[in-house]
């Protein structure tokens, strides 16, 4: 028996079949051999996390390196799977690996299986590729942290959960990965839990994500009741025959889940506080993994949203509103990671907006997700490099002139800066401009929001770049000695800097061909030429960048000005997102809780305690007549007899 068959037997009679063809048709031998190792994508990071967390301090010396090798190994497996998939025709590329029967109740089946198609393959390569670079970067960033072994264990756990989420073949198994990502993010955001702000941020992220998770739970239950299945194949095949109202409710429930995980309105407030985690965590969560999970959920559920136009329109509205909301916040913040957090909220808003356009936008949502995963990870790692050399200083008003002492960081960060703005030929020029074009072809207001968002993006990113790298130095030599980061941190930044430059150009055109068999694709019809639309978009970008550069090129005061516009005040306070949640949810929730406690303690407990007190008091008084003297009992019997006789006489009268 060869190695492939041995491993297949070990997995419990795992079977491999093409998803979109007759299951009796076997895959080519070479492809079948590669795809039988699909489970290694999950096994490697799970093994790394288990060893680092279970062995404790015994893994301190070699644990971080082992964690890096596990993620890089998963990336290598992903590359082999990609090339094997590339060798197949478009319709034969999706592959299912059935591993175990998980739940068998009557006619209901919920297997544990992996689904690898063009959509999930994109995420596999992004998660393991960018995740591997972030792991390598963390070797330098977390070098002196006493708990770095635990940190790398959590990173591996996060990668494993995210891979399960995107390779699951059912909504129920996706939910397991969804919750695993939530747990790992809680552990990573609150990794420095000795800092009260980090502990609070972790709890806030955990609670707000649980609100979104209720939506996914409801959606899965509605699928089970409606279709009798929660597998992707079972749900999507039956979706066209279901009522529009049912599909709308399922769509809205999935949108709520996506809002929680992807920090979209109204569940966006956790994202900015999540910056309290180590910077590699910010790069991992806010670039290529957790916040993009909601985009994956909506695009994967395309057949549901296509059957529920109202829910799909709601997706578009949420994305358009959030991209403006996050951009305005980013334009007013002084903390470098806070600006990037607002930017992440905004850029994911672009993806959600594109997903709300249906087949016209699904491909471009994933396209921008890919380029964003690269240039935003680049920007976060660049911010971490600056913080690493500036003793964790976050305030950009304390930076300035860093290009002179951190030239390599300046170069890689500049690549990410030009990429996120969409300056040709950098990556977002190809991905974000496609979203703007697709939006205008479907809905004018959605397109206008995307266009205005591009101008604001250029403003806040140029503001960040100018305040950080140009002008006069505003840091003090007494407390800070800026210097370039170690090579182990610079290598991932260099790779991501190149990706920020070339990814959009390399993927343009090819991404539509790759994803169309899974997501579907329709050409939008612009009222003007594509070249004219690109020119208008680039004009917004250049104007926004020019305004920021002219305003901040001569530096800024270290102390923020007190007299600013009402919009700036609101943006610095995150457009009162926390105040809104406190007024609408927290305070009423506290009032409801206190009311229920009062009812419980005074009414319910009062009745129970009062009854028991009455019985106890009565029994105590009755107990006094139990004296043990015969004469007392005889007297009681005589009194009872007399009372009985009197009663009989009164009745006969």
């Amino acid at each position: 028996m060869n190695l492939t068959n041995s491993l297949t037997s070990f997995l419990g009679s795992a079977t491999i079949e093409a998803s979109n063809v007759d299951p009796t048709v076997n895959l080519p031998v070479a492809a079948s051999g590669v795809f039988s190792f699909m489970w290694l994508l999950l096994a490697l990071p799970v093994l790394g996390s288990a060893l680092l967390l279970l062995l404790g301090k015994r893994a301190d010396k070699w644990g971080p390196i082992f964690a890096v090798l596990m993620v890089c190994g998963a990336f290598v497996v992903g590359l082999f799977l990609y090339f094997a998939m590339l060798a197949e025709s478009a319709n034969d590329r999706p592959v299912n690996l059935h591993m175990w029967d998980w739940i068998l109740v009557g006619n209901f089946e919920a297997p544990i299986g992996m689904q690898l198609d063009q959509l999930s393959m994109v995420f596999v390569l992004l998660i393991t590729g960018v995740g591997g670079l972030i792991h390598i970067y963390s070797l330098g960033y977390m070098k002196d942290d006493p708990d770095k072994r635990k940190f790398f264990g959590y990173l591996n756990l996060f990668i494993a959960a995210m891979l399960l989420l995107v390779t699951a073949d059912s909504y129920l198994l996706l939910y397991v990965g969804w919750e695993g990502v939530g747990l790992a993010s809680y552990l990573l955001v609150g990794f420095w839990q000795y800092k009260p702000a980090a502990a609070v941020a972790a709890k806030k992220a955990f609670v707000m994500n649980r609100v979104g998770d209720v939506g996914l739970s409801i959606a899965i239950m509605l699928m089970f009741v409606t279709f009798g299945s929660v597998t992707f194949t079972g749900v999507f095949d039956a979706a066209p025959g279901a009522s529009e109202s049912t599909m709308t409710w399922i769509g809205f429930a999935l949108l709520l889940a996506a809002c929680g995980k992807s920090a979209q309105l109204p569940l966006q407030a956790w994202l900015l506080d999540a910056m309290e985690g180590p910077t590699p965590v910010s790069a991992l969560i806010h670039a290529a993994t957790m916040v993009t999970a909601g985009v994956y959920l909506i695009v994967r559920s395309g057949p549901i949203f296509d059957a529920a136009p109202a829910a799909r329109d709601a997706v578009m509205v949420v994305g358009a509103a959030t991209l403006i909301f996050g951009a305005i916040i980013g334009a007013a913040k002084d903390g470098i990671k806070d600006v990037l957090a607002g930017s992440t909220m905004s850029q994911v808003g672009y993806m959600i907006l594109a997903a709300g356009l249906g087949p016209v936008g699904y491909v471009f949502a994933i396209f921008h997700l890919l380029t964003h995963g690269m240039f935003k990870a680049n920007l976060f790692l660049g911010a971490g490099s600056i913080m690493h050399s500036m003793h964790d200083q976050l305030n950009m008003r304390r930076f300035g002139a860093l290009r002179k002492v951190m030239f390599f960081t300046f170069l890689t960060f500049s690549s990410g800066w030009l990429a996120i703005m969409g300056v040709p030929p950098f990556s977002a020029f190809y991905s974000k401009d496609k979203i703007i074009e697709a939006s205008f072809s479907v809905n004018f207001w959605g397109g206008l929001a995307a266009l205005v968002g591009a101008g604001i993006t250029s403003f806040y990113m140029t503001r960040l770049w100018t305040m950080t790298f140009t002008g006069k130095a505003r840091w003090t030599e007494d407390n800070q000695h800026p210097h370039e980061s170690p090579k182990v941190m610079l290598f991932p930044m260099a790779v991501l800097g190149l990706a920020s430059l070339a990814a959009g150009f390399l993927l343009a055109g090819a991404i539509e061909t790759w994803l169309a068999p899974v997501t579907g694709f329709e050409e939008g019809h612009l009222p003007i030429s594509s070249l004219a639309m690109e020119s208008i978009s680039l004009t917004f970008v250049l104007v926004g960048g020019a305004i920021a550069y002219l305003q901040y090129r001569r530096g800024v005061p270290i102390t923020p000005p007190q007299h600013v516009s009402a919009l700036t005040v609101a943006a610095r306070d995150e457009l009162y997102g926390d105040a809104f949640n406190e007024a609408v949810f927290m305070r009423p929730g506290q009032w409801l809780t206190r009311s229920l406690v009062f009812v419980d303690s005074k009414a319910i407990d009062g009745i129970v305690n009062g009854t028991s007190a009455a019985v106890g008091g009565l029994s105590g008084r009755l107990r006094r007549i139990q004296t043990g003297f015969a004469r007392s009992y005889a007297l009681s019997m005589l009194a009872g007899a007399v009372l009985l006789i009197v009663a009989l006489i009164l009745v006969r009268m």
Side-chain angles (χ1 to χ4, degrees):
M1 182 179 292
N2 59 34
L3 177 60
T4 299
N5 292 334
S6 300
L7 289 170
T8 302
S9 300
F10 173 76
L11 285 172
S13 301
T15 57
I16 304 174
E17 59 186 34
S19 299
N20 295 335
V21 295
D22 185 346
T24 61
V25 178
N26 295 323
L27 291 172
V29 174
S32 177
V34 172
F35 286 118
S36 65
F37 291 96
M38 211 191 307
W39 57 275
L40 283 173
L41 289 172
L42 302 177
L44 290 175
V46 167
L47 176 63
S49 178
L51 290 181
L52 267 64
L53 296 178
L54 295 178
L55 291 180
K57 293 183 179 180
R58 287 171 289 182
D60 279 351
K61 291 184 179 180
W62 53 267
I65 297 294
F66 187 76
V68 172
L69 293 176
M70 291 300 97
V71 176
C72 292
F75 177 66
V76 172
V77 172
L79 285 177
F80 276 105
L81 294 171
Y82 167 72
F83 287 114
M85 184 178 287
L86 197 63
E88 302 297 322
S89 63
N91 291 331
D92 292 339
R93 283 171 179 165
V95 176
N96 278 35
L97 177 65
H98 177 83
M99 293 188 286
W100 296 285
D101 291 324
W102 182 17
I103 300 174
L104 296 173
V105 180
N107 294 326
F108 175 71
E109 296 182 6
I112 289 183
M114 297 177 67
Q115 174 176 302
L116 198 64
D117 57 17
Q118 292 92 319
L119 178 60
S120 52
M121 178 55 72
V122 164
F123 278 85
V124 165
L125 294 178
L126 180 67
I127 293 165
T128 57
V130 175
L133 291 172
I134 292 171
H135 274 68
I136 294 172
Y137 177 93
S138 299
L139 290 174
Y141 192 89
M142 301 295 289
K143 179 181 178 181
D144 298 323
D145 195 290
D147 290 325
K148 62 182 179 180
R149 182 260 315 160
K150 186 186 298 183
F151 176 80
F152 278 91
Y154 293 159
L155 283 184
N156 267 202
L157 177 62
F158 189 98
I159 294 292
M162 192 68 198
L163 287 171
L164 176 61
L165 190 158
V166 300
T167 59
D169 65 351
S170 70
Y171 282 99
L172 195 59
L173 192 58
L174 179 149
Y175 187 79
V176 176
W178 192 271
E179 292 301 310
V181 168
L183 170 62
S185 66
Y186 169 78
L187 296 172
L188 288 168
V189 171
F191 182 73
W192 289 325
Q193 70 270 14
Y194 56 83
K195 296 165 54 178
V200 171
K203 289 188 289 185
K204 184 175 181 179
F206 192 82
V207 170
M208 294 197 75
N209 271 272
R210 298 294 74 74
V211 175
D213 294 350
V214 171
L216 185 54
S217 300
I218 292 173
I220 293 173
M221 288 185 278
L222 287 174
M223 291 173 194
F224 170 71
V225 171
T226 305
F227 308 119
S229 174
V230 293
T231 63
F232 295 143
T233 303
V235 172
F236 298 159
D237 288 347
S243 67
E244 184 175 320
S245 61
T246 299
M247 301 308 293
T248 299
W249 281 111
I250 294 175
F252 275 113
L254 292 174
L255 174 58
L256 178 62
C259 287
K261 200 66 75 179
S262 293
Q264 300 292 285
L265 291 170
L267 299 176
Q268 82 292 342
W270 67 267
L271 186 69
L272 291 156
D273 288 357
M275 293 298 107
E276 291 294 336
T279 299
V281 173
S282 302
L284 187 64
I285 290 178
H286 301 133
T289 53
M290 180 173 171
V291 294
T292 62
V295 182
Y296 170 80
L297 180 66
I298 293 174
V299 174
R300 174 62 76 187
S301 306
I304 294 175
F305 287 96
D306 292 341
R312 196 170 71 187
D313 289 344
V315 172
M316 181 181 64
V317 171
V318 167
T322 307
L323 77 87
I324 297 295
F325 191 95
I328 291 173
I329 291 175
K333 291 290 188 179
D334 289 333
I336 187 170
K337 287 176 67 176
D338 290 337
V339 175
L340 295 179
S343 170
T344 296
M345 189 190 306
S346 179
Q347 295 302 307
V348 176
Y350 272 101
M351 303 171 207
I352 296 291
L353 168 61
L357 302 176
V360 175
Y362 289 144
V363 167
F364 300 132
I366 302 303
F367 187 12
H368 193 55
L369 186 151
L370 278 172
T371 59
H372 175 266
M374 298 172 194
F375 66 66
K376 184 53 65 66
N378 174 26
L379 292 170
F380 267 115
L381 296 189
S385 177
I386 294 168
M387 292 169 57
H388 186 266
S389 70
M390 297 281 285
H391 298 282
D392 291 330
Q393 177 62 258
L394 290 169
N395 190 351
M396 296 184 298
R397 294 180 179 274
R398 294 281 184 178
F399 293 165
L402 287 180
R403 72 185 187 283
K404 298 177 181 179
V405 291
M406 303 182 69
F407 188 71
F408 192 89
T409 297
F410 165 71
L411 285 179
T412 58
F413 197 97
S414 296
S415 179
W417 163 58
L418 294 170
I420 191 173
M421 289 195 302
V423 175
F426 291 83
S427 56
F429 170 73
Y430 298 93
S431 59
K432 188 163 64 177
D433 275 30
K434 284 295 185 181
I435 294 177
I436 295 174
E437 293 178 19
S439 299
F440 271 113
S441 71
V442 174
N443 183 283
F444 172 80
W445 296 109
L448 183 61
L451 188 60
V452 172
I456 303 175
T457 299
S458 181
F459 174 85
Y460 70 69
M461 285 306 303
T462 302
R463 174 178 177 267
L464 183 156
W465 181 86
T466 305
M467 290 176 67
T468 301
F469 294 107
T470 68
K472 296 181 179 179
R474 296 183 298 277
W475 32 271
T476 59
E477 290 287 354
D478 294 338
N479 299 321
Q480 294 156 332
H481 304 278
H483 56 276
E484 196 56 90
S485 298
K487 293 180 180 179
V488 73
M489 294 170 63
L490 297 181
F491 168 72
M493 292 163 59
V495 174
L496 291 169
L498 292 173
S500 300
L501 168 63
F505 172 77
L506 295 175
L507 292 171
I511 192 70
E512 293 100 311
T513 304
W514 178 258
L515 289 175
V518 177
T519 63
F521 178 63
E522 295 178 7
E523 288 282 356
H525 301 287
L526 276 172
I528 59 176
S529 69
S530 179
L531 180 60
M533 191 71 253
E534 289 178 357
S535 299
I536 294 172
S537 175
L538 187 57
T539 300
F540 271 74
V541 167
L542 294 177
V543 169
I547 292 173
Y549 181 75
L550 292 174
Q551 183 174 349
Y552 295 100
R553 65 190 175 91
R554 294 183 178 178
V556 293
I558 294 178
T559 303
Q562 298 299 314
H563 301 289
V564 294
S565 66
L567 179 60
T568 301
V569 173
R572 287 178 178 173
D573 201 16
E574 300 167 16
L575 294 179
Y576 306 119
D578 285 331
F580 175 83
N581 290 332
E582 182 175 339
V584 176
F585 298 108
M586 193 189 83
R587 296 302 178 192
Q590 286 180 331
W591 179 85
L592 178 61
T593 302
R594 289 167 182 164
S595 300
L596 293 175
V597 169
F598 177 82
V599 171
D600 180 64
S601 60
K602 300 299 182 181
I604 298 175
D605 285 353
I607 294 173
V608 173
N609 295 336
T611 302
S612 64
V615 172
L618 179 61
S619 64
R621 286 168 175 77
L622 291 175
R623 187 165 56 246
R624 294 174 183 174
I625 67 176
Q626 300 295 322
T627 62
F629 296 111
R631 59 181 180 273
S632 298
Y633 299 151
L635 181 60
S636 299
M637 293 171 63
L638 177 61
V642 171
L643 290 175
L644 181 61
I645 293 170
V646 171
L648 290 175
I649 293 173
L650 292 175
V651 170
R652 290 180 176 275
M653 290 181 61

